[in-house]
Every structure is written in structure tokens, then in C-alpha cells.
Amino acid sequence: MSTEQATPPEERRGTRRELTRRPRLRGNDRVRVRTEMAKKYDADASIRDLAAEYDLSFGLTRTLLLEADVELRSGRRHAKAAGQ
């Protein structure tokens, strides 16, 4: 196929036309956000709650908490609900 007949990128199937990327959290902003998140997590907020509040992915939220040296909970809420 010649380059003259190639489909333009904006018309290709599966192209993300309206993809907007958030700026990366770096430096002081990253430190501030992870400190705030750590306090809220320690006050019993879930990772999913924090991810939604800060408009971040679950994975990045978890990573930021680990960077803040937070000990992550493991099934604690499930155990409470089951009466254990």
C-alpha cells in the first residue's frame, strides 16, 4: 500500500480522538497529595474512595499510599461485615 492511500490517523479504527491526559504528579505536588491521601486513608477512607476523590486510577492511588509508607489494610471491612 502506498503512503498516498494510507488511512489518516484521525480516521483509523480505535483511535482515541478525545483522549486528554492528566499532568503527572511530580515534586511538591506529589508529596502534598500522598500526604493528604495517607491521612484520609488512616482515617478509614478506602483506596477506591481516594482514587475517585483525586480523579486518579486505583493503581496510582495505591502506589502513592505505599510511597507514603502507609500500611495497607487487607480485607478489614469484609471481616467487619461478616461479624468476625
Side-chain angles (χ1 to χ4, degrees):
M1 179 195 301
S2 74
T3 54
E4 295 175 66
Q5 296 174 343
T7 306
E10 62 276 359
E11 294 178 18
R12 290 187 189 141
R13 224 175 89 198
T15 301
R16 297 182 196 176
R17 292 184 186 138
E18 297 178 21
L19 179 66
T20 56
R21 296 181 185 257
R22 288 184 295 263
R24 293 189 182 256
L25 280 174
R26 293 186 176 154
N28 291 334
D29 289 335
R30 189 176 185 100
V31 171
R32 179 186 52 79
V33 168
R34 73 179 177 217
T35 302
E36 289 174 10
M37 292 174 106
K39 288 178 185 175
K40 291 179 181 185
Y41 186 80
D42 287 338
D44 219 25
S46 71
I47 295 176
R48 291 191 191 285
D49 292 340
L50 293 171
E53 181 180 340
Y54 287 89
D55 192 29
L56 301 171
S57 69
F58 179 92
L60 178 56
T61 303
R62 184 179 182 279
T63 298
L64 290 171
L65 290 171
L66 291 173
E67 286 178 8
D69 293 324
V70 171
E71 186 174 334
L72 300 180
R73 298 185 290 264
S74 175
R76 188 172 122 193
R77 290 180 187 238
H78 296 293
K80 279 184 184 178
Q84 295 176 352

